[in-house]
Amino acid sequence: MPRIPDLYALDITSATFVQACGGPCSEGCVTLARIGRDAWALGDSKRPDVPPLRFTTEELAVAGIDPARFGLAL
């Protein structure tokens, strides 16, 4: 069984978050950053004070979130 990474142990202070918006972001925009080989941080640009949630690539796929929509490669 593969080891599940401790995503919240990763330092994300220098992570670069990008937005994915299909139009005007009046309600808030999701932001995404790669924080490791198989690790992502998902935030909200309208609530920068809230810590981003962290996911594996598999968890993003199950949730229907495609990093390519953010201009990020797998």
Side-chain angles (χ1 to χ4, degrees):
M1 178 184 242
R3 183 181 168 280
I4 298 172
D6 183 1
L7 300 176
Y8 287 89
L10 298 172
D11 178 16
I12 66 167
T13 55
S14 63
T16 302
F17 286 82
V18 293
Q19 289 184 342
C21 292
C25 296
S26 59
E27 296 298 319
C29 284
V30 173
T31 59
L32 185 68
R34 179 183 289 276
I35 59 172
R37 183 172 169 263
D38 185 35
W40 303 86
L42 189 72
D44 181 346
S45 66
K46 298 289 185 180
R47 299 185 64 198
D49 55 314
V50 176
L53 299 174
R54 300 174 190 204
F55 300 94
T56 64
T57 301
E58 181 180 358
E59 290 169 330
L60 281 184
V62 168
I65 300 169
D66 182 3
R69 183 152 182 244
F70 296 78
L72 301 170
L74 288 176

